[in-house]
Amino acid sequence: MSRELLDPPTGAPDGPDGSGPRVVLLTRTACPPCARAAATLDALGVPWRRVDVDEAAADSAAGREQRAEFGDRVPVVLLDGHEHSWGEVDVPRLQADLVD
């Protein structure tokens, strides 16, 4: 399976094609590293969207595939639909890649 985001974000027109945030954080409930990653993204001030892999799995087959691919490594940061980092936010790399 591709490491692209299975269910593209919709909403805010701040992505490269106006489809939503460029940064998506894959999380789970009661996940301390996920909470730290969310706080890091908030501190960076970049628009981002949270996707709980367990909730997504309950909603669709694509969500189940996403949980199977990423669920054991949350938090996972996706940038433009591609895996960027996992376990924690790679801040210097993310900042550099957001400028590109």
Side-chain angles (χ1 to χ4, degrees):
M1 178 173 74
S2 168
R3 292 195 180 223
E4 291 184 15
L5 180 63
L6 299 172
D7 205 359
T10 57
D14 46 5
D17 61 358
S19 64
R22 295 181 64 195
V23 177
V24 175
L25 180 63
L26 302 179
T27 67
R28 284 198 140 124
T29 302
C31 168
C34 298
R36 286 191 297 274
T40 299
L41 292 174
D42 284 342
L44 289 174
V46 299
W48 63 279
R49 182 173 73 100
R50 179 188 320 258
V51 174
D52 182 303
V53 295
D54 296 317
E55 290 177 12
D59 292 338
S60 68
R64 287 186 289 281
E65 289 181 36
Q66 195 173 47
R67 180 177 62 185
E69 174 73 17
F70 299 111
D72 63 339
R73 295 182 284 134
V74 295
V76 175
V77 175
L78 303 177
L79 178 61
D80 296 332
H82 300 276
E83 184 175 345
H84 188 270
S85 57
W86 63 276
E88 62 184 24
V89 179
D90 185 340
V91 173
R93 181 173 169 229
L94 181 60
Q95 288 175 318
D97 290 345
L98 285 170
V99 172
D100 293 340

